[in-house]
Amino acid sequence: MVQRDTGSTRRALIRATAASFAAGLFLRLSRVLAADRMTKEQAEYQPTPNGIYSCGQCTMFVAPSSCKVVEGEISTDGWCKAFVLAD
Ligand code: SF4
């Protein structure tokens, strides 16, 4: 009779999955850091507000039309997933 060590197989699978996730995250972060700022696609930028929130209220907005973390021309009426509400 052959016994399987399912515990170590499961642990190996979890380790491989965690390592794969970490590698993917590292690649994405290194691309962002290399580019200094995110592209609009990476930030999921949209030229319209997200409900009541818009770039004009975000601490990352730099008047008149740019952003500290997203490259390109930014509208005060835009929004992205890096939005940080000003105090
Ligand atoms: S929501 Fe903030 S972080 Fe995003 S593009 Fe507008 S100013 Fe930049």
Side-chain angles (χ1 to χ4, degrees), residues 45 54-55 58 60-61 67 69-70 74 78-84:
Y45 173 82
S54 64
C55 294
C58 179
M60 301 298 169
F61 185 71
C67 173
V69 294
V70 178
I74 302 296
W79 180 87
C80 86
K81 68 180 183 182
F83 175 86
V84 180

Side-chain angles (χ1 to χ4, degrees), residues 4-33:
R4 293 184 184 167
D5 186 3
T6 56
S8 67
T9 303
R10 192 173 300 134
R11 280 191 295 272
L13 181 61
I14 291 169
R15 276 193 206 114
T17 302
S20 174
F21 177 78
L25 184 62
F26 177 76
L27 272 175
R28 290 185 69 188
L29 279 175
S30 60
R31 282 189 199 133
V32 169
L33 291 174

